Amino acid sequence: MAAPAMQQPSYLLANLKMDSTTKPFLQCCQELVKVIDDYPAKELHLIFPWLVESVFGSLDGVIVGWNLGFLQACSNQYNIVMDFLNPRYGPMMKLVYKLQAEEYKYEIPVSFLPGPVKVSIQEGVLPDCPLLNNKLHFPLSGLQTLSLALNPFEYYMFMFASSLITPKVTIVLMFSLDSAYFVLVDTYLKYFLPTEGSVPPSPFIYKRGSVSPPAPRAPSVPFAGYGIHSASLLKRHISHQPSVTADPAAQEIWRSEALLQVFVEMWLHHYSLEMYQKLQSPQVKLALLQYRLSMSSMLCQPLTPPGSGTLHTYQPFTPTEEHVLVVRLLVKHLHAFSCSLKPEQVSSSAHSHTSPLEELKRVVVHRFVQQKLYVFLQHCFGHWPLDASFRVVLETWLSYIQPWRYTGEKTNPQTDQNKGVPEKWLNKCVCSENLLMYTKLFQGFLNRVVRTDLVNVKNALMVFRVAKVFAQPNLSEMIQKGEQLFLEPEHVLHHRQHRCFLSPGHGGSFLSARQPVVTDRVFRVKSHVYGLEGQDCQYKQMFGMELRGTVLKLIQIIDQARQTAKKMSDQSAEVAANNSFMSWFGMGSPDLNYTFNGGEVDDTGACVKTHEFLERSLDYLCQIFRLNAGQLSQLMATLGSGQDDGNSKQLPDCVQGENGLILTDLGRMQVINGLRRFEIEYQGDPELQPIRSYENAILVRLFFKISSLVNERFGGHMDALCSRPDFLGQLGRHYLASPEAAADGRCRSPETRLTAERYRRPRLSLRMLASYRTLLMLLLLYLFGALFSLGPMSSTLLILTGGFLYGLLRKCRFLPK
């Protein structure tokens, strides 16, 4: 390749674009490495957006990029990609630092931000998003063309994070946990948020010195506040941002904070429109109205009500399983990062001597993650399908509420599964400062479980997982203490109203001026709840009477599902045993669809059946809510009194409506858990049933036309005949009434009265003559008649006479029905 000084930047970009389409992948990467090493930042600045888009894909999903989420370790390109994007020595990160030293900026349209952030910005409200501070500019053309000006490191991480949630236009393969993207997320987290040691300094030094954080600047246009805090918090954050001449450790830690802010905002700042409206306090709406008045006068545009122009454009977001898996990886690493804080740095007396990295460890979970993760999980609990894929959301939640699992200490899960919460965590405010994470989301889980098929082993496993976690010793007591602190009378706090406390997730950089240390746990738990749910929230106690009733209802459902699963498991075992015996004679059934494979691996690696999971779940729930054996047996006896031995023979619980049977809530639960069911049969016009494989299609249509003509012409005579109470009426009902009406008259599934009466009128049906079985039988009878020298007419007459006598004898009770 030619020397850098001899080639124009536009020509360089054109060459790289052409090479990417014509040359092999390895050769393209090698040439990119050479370009990054040889060319100055002034020329690399022009190819950087194209290169990042080629790797991670475009924000609109048209360009797929390198498909990192689907690049497996077995691929030939895997090692090349991982080396190229490595944060320690990779050429891509070298390019980022090279451009960072020159303080270049790259724009991201606001339209590609998460929905709540985009809508609030377009309404003139500054979201609680430190990543956006000092990066927004208002054009005179309006708010719809806003963009973010990011430095090279922020731009790179933004594109990397957004590639996970950007819908792809083209069809892609399945995402896996050993893909390049998942491994890169883990690598970046471990490199920039290390659990041991400090963040490695930038390995690339240029003429201007080491790479430093961007210098602060005042915002060009003020924003209204967002959330429950005023805009003064933002000003305080800006005024205390680190300068370029700050401590060297602080200069290096800005990359860790920037990466964390990008990941949190892009992956967790997603929720429904209702939640967006809920998070806007009256103070925010007043500030928004004042701001829009000033903007409308400045731009000479008519004023529109707040939210009227943008709320209708809010697009609901549905996370994918891959998205939630990456969020769980982030949560687990942040717990490990926070738990790696040195014991001597935990106490408040040592705060003034902590390094920036240790300070970040102390506040990372509560200030950066808690609020947005809570809203994200609450959105998933309310909108995720009622199937087994909810397991990824469940495990993310359980990972967050058990930070003691990620302390780095090696433990044996089989020996420590009953030890509960470690003693050193009992004195911490884990449950009180995360109270809603335990109680509110547990209530959301209960609302899902009562509508789930618990006979499914994967659903039963989820109930078992949650019950086992909450049944850990000391955890219930910690949650109850947190609820007691929250329920303290309000007058206790009146003398502290002058104190300022920021709820988690608000405040900006951890390097900003420290807030007063609040030692009162009552004040902390109230600030946590009101910060996430608002001042007007109606808190429902986890151990209160209302939720206890829901738990008792769940116990009934679990016990019913346990009995059904146990019965199905026993039947499956019997069928499997019979098949194994009959297979010796070649008579085993090849169809295994009827078997009940209700087994799943538990935490210890053992295969457990569905009813065993449910039995353990019942035990754990009794431990959590302190239900003794007498209460449980009484509850089960009450449940069993409403059932009988012929449970599977009964219809689900229904009420009679104007148009037929209507399922009650109990009936829906019985159907979902397989306790009772309707005998599903065709209840329409028997003549209009789909043509079966054992019927001749031509004859079915021919006989239908013949019988329709006869029924239309002689329908009145048939009704008169079948309505007679004498012997002729009985004989007419035998030959002319529909089989459904003559059987037992019992309703097998919901149907309207008009439909049932219409299809039970007497009629002539010749469809049975189109069956291949009937045709074969008639053929054999005609052949049998030919052996006795009987002609077709004689054989037909004998067949009709025999059929008439057969029906006559059955009506006279001489033959069994």
Side-chain angles (χ1 to χ4, degrees):
M1 187 171 291
M6 299 298 296
Q7 213 168 18
Q8 297 297 326
S10 59
Y11 185 61
L12 172 63
L13 180 59
N15 278 349
L16 291 176
K17 288 183 178 180
M18 183 177 298
D19 292 344
S20 64
T21 59
T22 58
K23 294 184 179 181
F25 182 77
L26 176 60
Q27 186 177 354
C28 289
C29 291
Q30 292 173 347
E31 293 189 0
L32 284 173
V33 173
K34 185 175 178 61
V35 168
I36 293 172
D37 290 336
D38 296 344
Y39 282 79
K42 182 179 180 180
E43 300 182 8
L44 296 176
H45 162 63
L46 297 176
I47 71 168
F48 181 63
W50 166 82
L51 181 57
V52 173
E53 196 174 71
S54 300
V55 175
F56 302 129
S58 60
L59 293 173
D60 56 6
V62 176
I63 301 176
V64 179
W66 289 359
N67 262 337
L68 300 180
F70 317 99
L71 186 62
Q72 305 296 324
C74 57
S75 173
N76 296 330
Q77 301 177 357
Y78 181 84
N79 292 329
I80 302 174
V81 170
M82 297 302 295
D83 291 339
F84 190 81
L85 303 178
N86 188 280
R88 185 181 299 274
Y89 55 81
M92 195 69 181
M93 197 59 64
K94 181 178 180 180
L95 172 61
V96 170
Y97 292 139
K98 199 172 184 178
L99 297 174
Q100 186 75 31
E102 302 293 335
E103 299 184 0
Y104 287 111
K105 298 295 179 181
Y106 301 91
E107 291 189 353
I108 295 290
V110 169
S111 58
F112 292 110
L113 293 177
V117 181
K118 175 178 63 177
V119 171
S120 59
I121 290 177
Q122 291 174 349
E123 291 191 339
V125 183
L126 177 64
D128 175 37
C129 180
L131 180 66
L132 307 180
N133 294 340
N134 307 325
K135 299 178 177 65
L136 286 173
H137 297 278
F138 281 91
L140 294 178
S141 57
L143 301 179
Q144 302 297 331
T145 57
L146 281 173
S147 61
L148 299 179
L150 304 179
N151 63 50
F153 184 83
E154 293 170 339
Y155 180 80
Y156 175 82
M157 289 301 171
F158 183 94
M159 296 294 290
F160 174 73
S162 63
S163 64
L164 174 67
I165 61 176
T166 301
K168 305 300 180 184
V169 176
T170 57
I171 300 177
V172 291
L173 303 176
M174 292 296 294
F175 185 94
S176 64
L177 296 182
D178 60 346
S179 65
Y181 189 89
F182 200 85
V183 175
L184 277 174
V185 172
D186 188 52
T187 304
Y188 287 160
L189 288 174
K190 291 179 179 178
Y191 183 81
F192 293 107
L193 298 169
T195 56
E196 297 180 0
S198 59
V199 180
S202 172
F204 307 110
I205 305 298
Y206 302 102
K207 296 179 181 179
R208 296 188 57 174
S210 60
V211 178
S212 57
R217 64 177 183 271
S220 56
V221 177
F223 268 110
Y226 179 75
I228 62 172
H229 303 291
S230 63
S232 62
L233 300 178
L234 172 62
K235 297 177 181 178
R236 181 163 62 248
H237 161 70
I238 295 173
S239 63
H240 289 89
Q241 274 190 334
S243 63
V244 219
T245 59
D247 179 50
Q251 291 188 8
E252 293 301 334
I253 206 67
W254 73 268
R255 294 175 297 162
S256 305
E257 188 179 1
L259 173 135
L260 180 58
Q261 289 174 355
V262 171
F263 284 2
V264 169
E265 296 303 327
M266 295 305 297
W267 294 341
L268 297 182
H269 210 145
H270 301 278
Y271 39 80
S272 62
L273 176 60
E274 293 78 10
M275 184 61 67
Y276 166 75
Q277 294 172 331
K278 178 182 178 181
L279 290 177
Q280 286 191 345
S281 63
Q283 294 84 358
V284 170
K285 295 179 180 178
L286 179 60
L288 171 60
L289 182 59
Q290 296 173 351
Y291 168 77
R292 293 177 69 87
L293 282 171
S294 62
M295 287 294 295
S296 62
S297 61
M298 182 177 65
L299 299 177
C300 298
Q301 296 176 354
L303 177 65
T304 57
S308 62
T310 54
L311 286 183
H312 67 277
T313 62
Y314 189 98
Q315 298 294 330
F317 181 82
T318 303
T320 61
E321 292 186 52
E322 298 80 16
H323 181 179
V324 181
L325 284 172
V326 175
V327 169
R328 184 177 184 235
L329 177 63
L330 173 65
V331 169
K332 291 168 64 176
H333 182 80
L334 291 182
H335 273 323
F337 178 70
S338 180
C339 293
S340 64
L341 182 66
K342 298 176 182 178
E344 61 271 13
Q345 304 289 355
V346 177
S347 61
S348 59
S349 60
H351 285 162
S352 58
H353 308 288
T354 58
S355 66
L357 184 63
E358 297 297 319
E359 176 73 2
L360 179 61
K361 291 180 180 180
R362 196 183 65 82
V363 301
V364 61
V365 175
H366 286 244
R367 182 167 296 182
F368 287 93
V369 180
Q370 186 195 60
Q371 183 200 38
K372 293 183 174 63
L373 181 64
Y374 170 74
V375 178
F376 177 81
L377 290 176
Q378 197 175 29
H379 176 74
C380 292
F381 273 58
H383 295 79
W384 202 276
L386 292 172
D387 55 22
S389 64
F390 185 72
R391 176 76 184 275
V392 294
V393 180
L394 186 78
E395 293 298 336
T396 303
W397 171 46
L398 297 181
S399 296
Y400 181 84
I401 64 176
Q402 299 180 92
W404 49 84
R405 293 177 51 193
Y406 308 102
T407 57
E409 302 175 359
K410 295 183 178 180
T411 57
N412 186 355
Q414 294 185 357
T415 57
D416 295 345
Q417 60 183 352
N418 295 323
K419 289 186 177 181
V421 182
E423 292 185 4
K424 63 180 181 180
W425 287 85
L426 298 180
N427 296 326
K428 296 183 179 181
C429 305
V430 178
C431 290
S432 59
E433 294 182 356
N434 296 276
L435 184 62
L436 293 177
M437 282 288 192
Y438 292 90
T439 60
K440 187 70 177 292
L441 292 184
F442 181 80
Q443 296 168 22
F445 176 73
L446 289 183
N447 293 333
R448 290 183 58 91
V449 171
V450 295
R451 297 177 290 138
T452 305
D453 177 16
L454 297 183
V455 180
N456 186 309
V457 63
K458 296 185 181 298
N459 295 333
L461 175 59
M462 287 192 285
V463 178
F464 166 75
R465 289 282 295 121
V466 174
K468 182 178 180 181
V469 168
F470 278 85
Q472 295 179 84
N474 304 321
L475 183 57
S476 298
E477 290 76 6
M478 294 172 64
I479 297 174
Q480 282 185 301
K481 289 180 181 178
E483 290 190 323
Q484 292 172 0
L485 292 174
F486 175 75
L487 297 176
E488 286 285 340
E490 291 292 337
H491 63 79
V492 178
L493 301 178
H494 285 173
H495 67 283
R496 305 189 191 95
Q497 291 299 319
H498 66 280
R499 302 172 68 177
C500 176
F501 182 80
L502 289 180
S503 65
H506 295 80
S509 173
F510 73 96
L511 293 172
S512 60
R514 287 199 50 78
Q515 306 301 324
V517 178
V518 181
T519 58
D520 190 353
R521 294 187 177 184
V522 177
F523 192 76
R524 288 190 179 187
V525 67
K526 286 181 178 291
S527 300
H528 157 72
V529 174
Y530 292 142
L532 295 183
E533 289 291 326
Q535 297 289 338
D536 56 345
C537 72
Q538 299 293 328
Y539 183 77
K540 185 186 299 184
Q541 297 184 55
M542 179 174 172
F543 296 94
M545 295 305 298
E546 184 177 356
L547 190 65
R548 189 180 182 89
T550 305
V551 172
L552 294 178
K553 177 182 178 182
L554 174 62
I555 289 177
Q556 291 181 334
I557 296 175
I558 290 177
D559 187 69
Q560 290 178 336
R562 179 186 62 82
Q563 296 176 12
T564 303
K566 184 69 168 63
K567 185 183 300 182
M568 295 173 65
S569 178
D570 295 342
Q571 293 176 353
S572 178
E574 294 178 1
V575 172
N578 294 334
N579 281 341
S580 62
F581 174 76
M582 298 300 294
S583 62
W584 289 93
F585 305 97
M587 300 174 61
S589 173
D591 185 14
L592 299 179
N593 292 330
Y594 55 83
T595 57
F596 178 68
N597 299 321
E600 191 76 13
V601 178
D602 65 353
D603 300 339
T604 61
C607 184
V608 181
K609 294 185 177 181
T610 307
H611 64 275
E612 296 174 347
F613 276 132
L614 297 176
E615 287 176 0
R616 298 181 187 180
S617 301
L618 286 175
D619 295 338
Y620 287 137
L621 288 174
C622 292
Q623 295 177 24
I624 297 170
F625 294 94
R626 296 177 177 84
L627 298 175
N628 55 41
Q631 292 175 314
L632 185 62
S633 60
Q634 182 180 2
L635 186 64
M636 296 300 104
T638 303
L639 176 65
S641 62
Q643 301 179 0
D644 58 356
D645 296 333
N647 199 8
S648 59
K649 301 296 184 181
Q650 291 185 350
L651 290 177
D653 190 65
C654 303
V655 294
Q656 185 68 40
E658 295 181 357
N659 295 323
L661 297 178
I662 300 176
L663 279 173
T664 63
D665 292 338
L666 176 60
R668 292 189 186 94
M669 182 269 296
Q670 293 170 341
V671 173
I672 289 176
N673 292 297
L675 302 176
R676 297 182 184 181
R677 62 183 178 85
F678 290 105
E679 297 181 21
I680 301 177
E681 294 181 358
Y682 182 82
Q683 293 188 343
D685 190 345
E687 298 297 311
L688 298 179
Q689 295 185 57
I691 299 176
R692 306 295 196 268
S693 59
Y694 54 82
E695 293 178 327
N696 186 283
I698 299 176
L699 293 180
V700 168
R701 296 186 179 97
L702 176 62
F703 289 141
F704 174 73
K705 293 180 180 179
I706 297 174
S707 57
S708 298
L709 291 174
V710 174
N711 292 329
E712 183 178 356
R713 186 167 183 178
F714 301 101
H717 298 284
M718 295 179 184
D719 289 337
L721 176 63
C722 293
S723 61
R724 295 178 58 169
D726 55 5
F727 178 76
L728 289 179
Q730 295 181 10
L731 197 61
R733 286 190 293 271
H734 172 74
Y735 285 106
L736 298 177
S738 61
E740 287 76 8
D744 54 5
R746 184 170 59 90
C747 181
R748 291 176 169 82
S749 63
E751 63 175 346
T752 62
R753 297 176 181 176
L754 296 178
T755 303
E757 293 176 358
R758 185 191 313 147
Y759 298 143
R760 291 173 184 172
R761 294 175 180 173
R763 65 178 67 191
L764 176 65
S765 177
L766 301 177
R767 182 162 178 167
M768 60 174 300
L769 298 178
S771 171
Y772 290 118
R773 179 181 179 182
T774 305
L775 293 175
L776 179 60
M777 186 178 299
L778 291 176
L779 178 61
L780 293 177
L781 290 176
Y782 278 110
L783 291 177
F784 185 76
L787 293 178
F788 292 93
S789 302
L790 294 177
M793 294 299 296
S794 302
S795 299
T796 303
L797 183 60
L798 288 176
I799 292 173
L800 293 176
T801 304
F804 177 78
L805 292 176
Y806 176 78
L808 184 63
L809 293 176
R810 288 191 60 179
K811 278 301 173 184
C812 294
R813 310 294 183 180
F814 292 120
L815 292 177
K817 293 186 178 181

